[in-house]
Amino acid sequence: MLVTRAEILHDTLMPNASRPRRIFLSAVGLTPQVVTESLYVLATARPSFVPDEIHLLTTEEGRRRIDLMLRYGLADLAFDLDCPALAEALSPNSIHVIPGMDGKPLMDINSDVDNEAAANTICTLVRSLTADPVTRLHVSIAGGRKTMSFLLGYALSLYGRPQDTLSHVLVNDPFQTHPEFFFPRRVPKVLLGQGGRPVSTDEAKITLAEIPFVRLRHGMPADLLAGTTTYGETVARVQRAFAAPHLHLDIPRRQLVCQDVVVPLPPLLLAFYVCFILRRRQGAPVSWRELSAQEIKSVYQRLHGDDNGRWERVRHGLPAGPDDMKDYFEQKKAALHKALRTTLGSAATPYMLQPIGKRPRTRFALSLDPSAITITGEDVQ
């Protein structure tokens, strides 16, 4: 059921506190009409979606067509629906022209290098538009080159939240590519079709096909959500999260590497974890009762040596006796799991210390198969 124009106007005038901020994002190529066609369906559907912000991703030629064609079509749509907010939602700052590797705006996407530049721009933009947890993003993949559409959809799969949606707009012939058709007007207009044949806009049928997509955001490492990694780096990191777990302890570099990702750990926390790595290779779990300050000290010194006198400062953080070990054990375990989750996201689980048995005799161990653990450099055992 379509909403009335009064309902559309009422929806746009609702205070921001009453609904989440809405964002529309679309790629634009040589047919910018896909934007107004999509917005027409979104604004007149029930429930309606009238964006507070319209973001368009395009090339330099696409920007030119936005200025010469789309701005007028968007203004007409806003007037026809009695919804001035639609025209106001598009600002000069929300037209994103893809820069090439040389920093200059791309006229078109014609090479692998151009594709890489587009992928990086799309990845950065979608990550930015989904950073605020309370906004709602609708992405249209109807415009632009096919590579842009694919990249937009894939970026939303990486960063999209439960409230975000993806769509493609479908328009019947001869309106699909007609340069003068932007949406079905309230008062029908006659256009000249192929061969000069007149057609009325009241014959136009627009369908917005919502596309289900897999949401991977919940498993993304924190630095990928907040950082500036390229599209290629982001995909590689996510792909590793689905690979078989493997832990590599690099003694010379004093590094813990999980699935080719370095997990930064402070020296004492690394020594604490190495105690469990070594016990896993021996098939032995450990509880706080079995872990001693002497064992942690021994592993620390074998890993780091005197470490330029740091040990004298670090050793004061070790428990003074068995009675203090329980709290120390829980604190270090919590710090370790936090570091793993921050770096690896949902892929951290295989590397965490898993409980074995019931309280009060619970013990902990790595669940990794010993064959998935490698150690290079000096033996710390």
Side-chain angles (χ1 to χ4, degrees):
M1 178 185 291
L2 298 182
V3 298
T4 65
R5 287 168 173 77
E7 287 176 308
I8 296 173
L9 181 60
H10 175 267
D11 184 54
T12 60
L13 295 177
M14 289 176 62
N16 286 338
S18 302
R19 61 169 176 80
R21 189 164 183 80
R22 299 167 178 174
I23 303 171
F24 175 85
L25 171 63
S26 177
V28 174
L30 303 183
T31 54
Q33 298 94 319
V34 296
V35 175
T36 47
E37 290 163 355
S38 299
L39 290 172
Y40 171 82
V41 178
L42 289 171
T44 57
R46 187 185 297 275
S48 66
F49 180 97
V50 177
D52 301 290
E53 301 175 26
I54 296 173
H55 289 262
L56 304 179
L57 188 76
T58 189
T59 59
E60 183 63 22
E61 176 59 25
R63 182 201 61 75
R64 179 174 174 273
R65 293 184 181 231
I66 290 171
D67 288 340
L68 294 178
M69 300 170 63
L70 182 60
R71 287 191 184 279
Y72 297 102
L74 187 59
D76 287 346
L77 177 63
F79 177 80
D80 206 71
L81 296 179
D82 294 329
C83 183
L86 266 176
E88 298 166 1
L90 179 64
S91 71
N93 291 333
S94 60
I95 301 174
H96 308 272
V97 179
I98 299 170
M101 291 303 186
D102 58 0
K104 297 179 181 179
L106 286 180
M107 290 300 297
D108 199 356
I109 301 175
N110 293 316
S111 68
D112 290 343
V113 174
D114 295 343
N115 274 329
E116 183 179 354
N120 293 338
T121 299
I122 290 170
C123 185
T124 300
L125 181 59
V126 174
R127 179 168 52 207
S128 172
L129 294 179
T130 55
D132 186 342
V134 299
T135 58
R136 182 183 170 194
L137 175 66
H138 183 97
V139 174
S140 168
I141 59 171
R145 286 195 174 272
K146 292 180 180 179
T147 51
M148 294 174 67
S149 297
F150 172 83
L151 291 168
L152 258 180
Y154 198 90
L156 189 63
S157 186
L158 290 173
Y159 297 105
R161 304 150 304 172
Q163 67 267 33
D164 299 328
T165 48
L166 182 69
S167 74
H168 187 285
V169 69
L170 305 172
V171 184
N172 62 316
D173 288 330
F175 304 99
Q176 182 177 5
T177 57
H178 199 293
E180 296 180 45
F181 178 78
F182 284 82
F183 63 94
R185 295 174 178 272
R186 189 187 323 181
V187 178
K189 183 178 179 180
V190 175
L191 305 176
L192 293 180
Q194 190 173 10
R197 179 174 178 270
V199 292
S200 174
T201 57
D202 63 358
E203 300 174 24
K205 294 180 175 59
I206 302 180
T207 303
L208 199 68
E210 186 166 327
I211 303 171
F213 63 96
V214 177
R215 292 167 173 81
L216 303 175
R217 184 185 183 93
H218 72 282
M220 295 272 280
D223 63 323
L224 292 186
L225 294 174
T228 56
T229 52
T230 65
Y231 173 80
E233 292 169 341
T234 301
V235 171
R237 287 278 299 278
V238 173
Q239 183 63 45
R240 283 197 291 264
F242 292 96
H246 180 267
L247 184 152
H248 176 213
L249 177 62
D250 189 331
I251 301 301
R253 291 184 174 86
R254 302 169 183 176
Q255 282 185 344
L256 175 71
V257 184
C258 300
Q259 288 175 246
D260 299 326
V261 178
V262 176
V263 180
L265 296 177
L268 189 56
L269 188 57
L270 177 61
F272 173 83
Y273 192 39
V274 170
C275 292
F276 290 86
I277 295 174
L278 298 178
R279 285 175 176 261
R280 178 55 181 158
R281 282 166 58 115
Q282 299 162 0
V286 64
S287 70
W288 64 268
R289 296 179 181 85
E290 296 156 333
L291 186 65
S292 67
Q294 181 58 41
E295 181 180 355
I296 299 173
K297 172 185 175 182
S298 176
V299 171
Y300 180 97
Q301 291 185 322
R302 288 171 183 261
L303 280 170
H304 304 286
D306 180 63
D307 207 12
N308 295 322
R310 182 180 295 177
W311 168 249
E312 288 304 315
R313 299 190 298 273
V314 169
R315 69 182 182 87
H316 295 295
L318 288 172
D323 294 340
D324 302 319
M325 179 55 78
K326 183 177 182 180
D327 289 342
Y328 178 85
F329 182 91
E330 292 296 332
Q331 290 169 6
K332 289 299 180 186
K333 179 164 65 71
L336 172 65
H337 288 183
K338 180 179 179 181
L340 290 169
R341 288 194 194 96
T342 299
T343 306
L344 303 174
S346 62
T349 301
Y351 307 99
M352 296 167 70
L353 304 182
Q354 305 298 333
I356 300 173
K358 298 181 179 180
R359 292 180 179 179
R361 306 302 300 178
T362 304
R363 306 167 90 195
F364 289 85
L366 282 174
S367 61
L368 280 178
D369 190 288
S371 64
I373 300 173
T374 59
I375 300 177
T376 58
E378 179 186 356
D379 192 352
V380 297
Q381 298 185 63

